[in-house]
Amino acid sequence: MFGKKQTVADQLVEVLVQSGVRRIYGIVGDSLNSLSDAIRRNDEIEWVHVHNEEAAAFAASAEAQLTGKLAVCAGSCGPGNTHLIQGVFDAHRSGAPVLAIASHIVSTEIGTGFFQETDPKRLFEQASHWTEMLSTPEQMPRMARVGIQAAVGKLGAAVLVVPGDVLEADAANETGTGYPMAGRVLGAPPADVIDALAERINAASSVAIFGGIGCAGAREEVLALAERVNAPVGHSLRGKESLQYDNPYDVGMSGLLGYGSCYEACHEADLLLLLGTDFPYRQFLPQKNTVQIDIDPSRLGRRTALEMGVAGDVGATIRALLPKLEPKKRDFLDKMLHKHSKELDRVVDAYTHDVENMTPIHPEYVARVLDEEAAADAIFTADTGMCCSWIARYISPNGRRRLLGSWVHGTMANALPQALGAQMLDRDRQVVSMSGDGGLAMLLGELLTARTHGLPVKVVVFNNSSLGMVRLEMLVAGDPPFETDHDSVDFAAIARAMGFHAVRVEKPTELRSALRGVLDHDGPALLDVVTDPDALELPPHITKEEAGGFALAMGRTVLSGGVGQMAHLAKANLRNI
C-alpha cells in the first residue's frame, strides 16, 4: 500500500474483491473518503459515480439480478443514507444479493445530534436481512464477510454501517483469503410430502399452474409437469421471462397487468398449483383448491387459503414428483388455450392493429414496435406504472432477453438506473429503459451518469404528460383524475443538452425509423415519444365494483363539464371497451 499501513477501508475493499465485486455504485462524501481512496488505489475495483444514491442501489440491484452474484452500493452519512435506502429497499424486496455500505458520522459523536446524524442501523433494518455497525477495527474482516453471506445466502440486501473514523483506522487483523459464498440449499421435500402431493394432483380432475420468479432455473421441469397433467400454465410478471416463451401450455398472466385466460384457468381448475410465486393480489386467486410450492416456508399460505403447502425448490420438487403422476385428459387445457387465443385478440392486440396513422401515438404501438426492433438478447427495464403494462403485454421473452422492474416494491424512477447497472455489466449488449415521463423526471440526473461513463443505454420515454396508472386508479375508484396531468416536456431537448443523441416523435409514421436510429446509435440515446394519455390498460377480469367506479368517474367528469375529455377517452379505447 505504497508504504502506508492497511486501513479498515483497504481491508473492506480487499474482502469485496475476494468476493468477486468489481465495482461500487455511489457518490463520494466526507464519511466515505477513506473508502473511495482505498478504491482509487486498488486496480481490481472501480467507483461508479451516480447522481443520486437511490440510483446507486437500483444499479447494483440490476447487476445482482442479472448475474445472481453480489453487487455493492454505498452512501455517505445522513442524507446519503436516506437517499440510498429507497433503492436498497427495492433490491431487498427483489431478492437481489446487494451489500450496501452506509457510512456513519464520527463514532465519538454518535448520539449527540451531530451534523448529518441519523441512526443507520434503525433506518435500514426493515430494508435488509442484516444490518450491523462496524464499531472497531477488530471486527474486520469477519463482519464484512458475515454481511456478504447474509445477502447472498438469504437473497436480499445486507447493510454494513461504518463510522468514517473506523474506516480510516489501521486494520487490526490479517484479511486472509476469504471463502466461497453459498446461496440457498435447493432441495426437494421429504418423500412422504411428495407422496401426499402426488395423491392430491392425481385425484384432481383438472390442474392449472401459476408460476413466478421461483420457476427461474426450473423452466423445463414446469413444462414437463404441464405436459404430464395437461395443465394450462399462467405466470406472474416476474415469471414471464422464464415461462412464457415457446410454451405450448401458456395462458398468459393474471393480475391488473394481466392478459389471456390465466384468471379463468386458475379459478376453473379443480386444483391450482402455485409454483415459486408470492403473487400479492388476493382478489385474482381463487382462495380455494390450491397447493403452493415455495423455497421459502414463510410464504406458504400468506396470499391464499391452501389445501397443502410444500417447502422446497420448485425444480427439485417437480423432479421427485413426476414419476408418481398419472396423465390427464386435454379437455380443460384445450378449453383454456382457445379462450387464451380469443383474449389475446381482444386485449393484447387491441391497440396495435391499424394504428399507424393515429395521433397521439398509442403507447401499446410503441411497445410493439420496440419489441420488433430490439435485439434478441436485449435487456429491458420498465418504470412502475403504465410501462409495466407495456412490458408485460408486448415485450416478448425468448430465453435470452431479460426483463427488470420494481416488480415488488413498486417505486417510480427505477428503469433508468437499473439500465445503467445492466449496461455496466456489458457495454456491447443492448439495454433499453422503458421510462415513463414521471419516472424519468424523478431521477433525470442519471442521464448525466450515462454520459459520464459513456454507457450506450437506450431510453424510450412514453411521454403522455400524465401519471397514467394513478389516473386509471382514480377512474376505477369512481373519482375524476386529479393532479395526475402535468405540463408537456420536451425530454429530447433536455437529453441533447446532457450529451445524448435524442429524437422526439409525435407522428406514428415516424416511429419505427426513429427508434431504429436510436437503437443503432453508438452511445447513449433517447427517444421521446408523445403518447396518448387516454389510452388505458385494462385487466382481462374486471369486477362489478371496478366497472361501476369507472362509470361513476365518467359521469362525474361529464357533470363537471368534461364531456369532451370523456368523448376522447371513449374514442381512444373503443377497441378495448
Side-chain angles (χ1 to χ4, degrees), residues 244-307:
Q244 184 199 49
Y245 70 96
D246 296 337
N247 180 355
Y249 312 99
D250 179 55
V251 291
M253 194 170 86
S254 191
L256 294 172
L257 311 182
Y259 57 87
S261 61
C262 180
Y263 179 90
E264 286 77 8
C266 291
H267 281 73
E268 294 181 22
D270 194 36
L271 182 67
L272 171 63
L273 300 179
L274 297 179
L275 304 181
T277 180
D278 193 34
F279 184 75
Y281 302 106
R282 290 170 49 84
Q283 66 269 36
F284 289 95
L285 296 173
Q287 300 298 323
K288 62 180 181 178
N289 304 330
T290 301
V291 169
Q292 184 178 3
I293 303 173
D294 202 286
I295 192 69
D296 185 349
S298 69
R299 294 177 181 147
L300 297 176
R302 71 178 184 179
R303 307 301 185 193
T304 184
L306 295 180
E307 300 296 319

Side-chain angles (χ1 to χ4, degrees), residues 11 15 130 138-147 173 179:
Q11 194 168 55
V15 170
W130 179 94
E138 286 76 15
Q139 292 174 286
M140 281 289 287
R142 181 167 62 103
M143 186 71 82
R145 292 193 173 119
V146 170
N173 302 312
Y179 57 91

Side-chain angles (χ1 to χ4, degrees), residues 132-296:
E132 294 295 341
M133 187 165 75
L134 184 67
S135 301
T136 69
E138 286 76 15
Q139 292 174 286
M140 281 289 287
R142 181 167 62 103
M143 186 71 82
R145 292 193 173 119
V146 170
I148 289 169
Q149 185 56 48
V152 174
K154 294 184 177 181
L155 294 181
V159 183
L160 183 65
V161 179
V162 194
D165 58 317
V166 175
L167 274 173
E168 65 183 17
D170 291 341
N173 302 312
E174 294 293 327
T175 305
T177 57
Y179 57 91
M181 295 174 291
R184 289 188 176 184
V185 177
L186 304 180
D192 60 327
V193 175
I194 293 293
D195 290 340
L197 177 56
E199 184 178 343
R200 286 187 179 276
I201 295 175
N202 288 333
S205 60
S206 59
V207 174
I209 294 171
F210 184 67
I213 187 65
C215 295
R219 168 183 162 80
E220 296 307 318
E221 287 87 347
V222 174
L223 295 187
L225 174 61
E227 181 182 19
R228 180 65 56 86
V229 297
N230 280 314
V233 178
H235 55 81
S236 67
L237 180 51
R238 299 186 79 194
K240 175 183 171 75
E241 63 180 357
S242 296
L243 297 179
Q244 184 199 49
Y245 70 96
D246 296 337
N247 180 355
Y249 312 99
D250 179 55
V251 291
M253 194 170 86
S254 191
L256 294 172
L257 311 182
Y259 57 87
S261 61
C262 180
Y263 179 90
E264 286 77 8
C266 291
H267 281 73
E268 294 181 22
D270 194 36
L271 182 67
L272 171 63
L273 300 179
L274 297 179
L275 304 181
T277 180
D278 193 34
F279 184 75
Y281 302 106
R282 290 170 49 84
Q283 66 269 36
F284 289 95
L285 296 173
Q287 300 298 323
K288 62 180 181 178
N289 304 330
T290 301
V291 169
Q292 184 178 3
I293 303 173
D294 202 286
I295 192 69
D296 185 349

Side-chain angles (χ1 to χ4, degrees), residues 1 3 39 44 63 75 96 171 184 191 201 205 272 279 293 336 351 357 360 399 496 554:
M1 293 291 176
I39 293 170
E44 298 183 76
E63 179 180 323
R184 289 188 176 184
I201 295 175
S205 60
L272 171 63
F279 184 75
I293 303 173
M336 290 300 119
Y351 292 113
N357 297 307
R496 279 192 292 271
M554 293 182 72

